[in-house]
Amino acid sequence: MESTFHELTQLLIEKNNKLSYEKARTWIELVWEDFEATYAKAGYDYKGKAVTEKVVRQWVNTYGEQIHEFAAQNPKYKHLIDDKEDDDVVH
């Protein structure tokens, strides 16, 4: 699982250079968990890690460049774009 998250994080960074590794990783984990939770709440059977990875990869490829804009419009994710922490700033 660690290697999958790392690979998806790297993909997100390639799509959106405004994100540090830490913030990109947080986004990947959040989107992963959100998809699985929403899928379960909808009453669907769990299809496994491969399906979740495919969906997250598709979302990163489609929305990765604008993910910080999504966060700015949704207070639930505002902390993900708050760059007050120096260790999350991309140099």
Side-chain angles (χ1 to χ4, degrees):
M1 193 73 153
E2 176 63 32
S3 64
T4 301
F5 280 178
H6 176 73
E7 183 181 333
L8 291 169
T9 300
Q10 290 298 119
L11 178 62
L12 180 54
I13 290 170
E14 289 173 18
K15 295 287 182 181
N16 189 329
N17 63 5
K18 293 177 176 62
L19 298 175
S20 67
Y21 182 89
E22 291 78 15
K23 288 201 187 263
R25 174 65 182 247
T26 299
W27 273 111
I28 294 301
E29 291 176 8
L30 177 71
V31 170
W32 186 285
E33 291 172 11
D34 192 50
F35 171 75
E36 287 190 336
T38 302
Y39 204 73
K41 286 179 188 176
Y44 296 110
D45 291 333
Y46 180 66
K47 300 292 184 189
K49 175 187 148 198
V51 170
T52 303
E53 180 181 351
K54 181 179 176 183
V55 170
V56 172
R57 186 176 299 278
Q58 182 178 356
W59 288 349
V60 167
N61 282 320
T62 304
Y63 305 111
E65 293 177 34
Q66 299 94 8
I67 203 161
H68 59 284
E69 294 171 11
F70 168 76
Q73 296 174 358
N74 190 329
K76 178 179 175 183
Y77 304 112
K78 182 169 175 33
H79 68 282
L80 294 173
I81 59 166
D82 185 2
D83 282 331
K84 291 180 183 175
E85 298 174 25
D86 290 338
D87 60 340
D88 279 347
V89 177
V90 176
H91 298 280

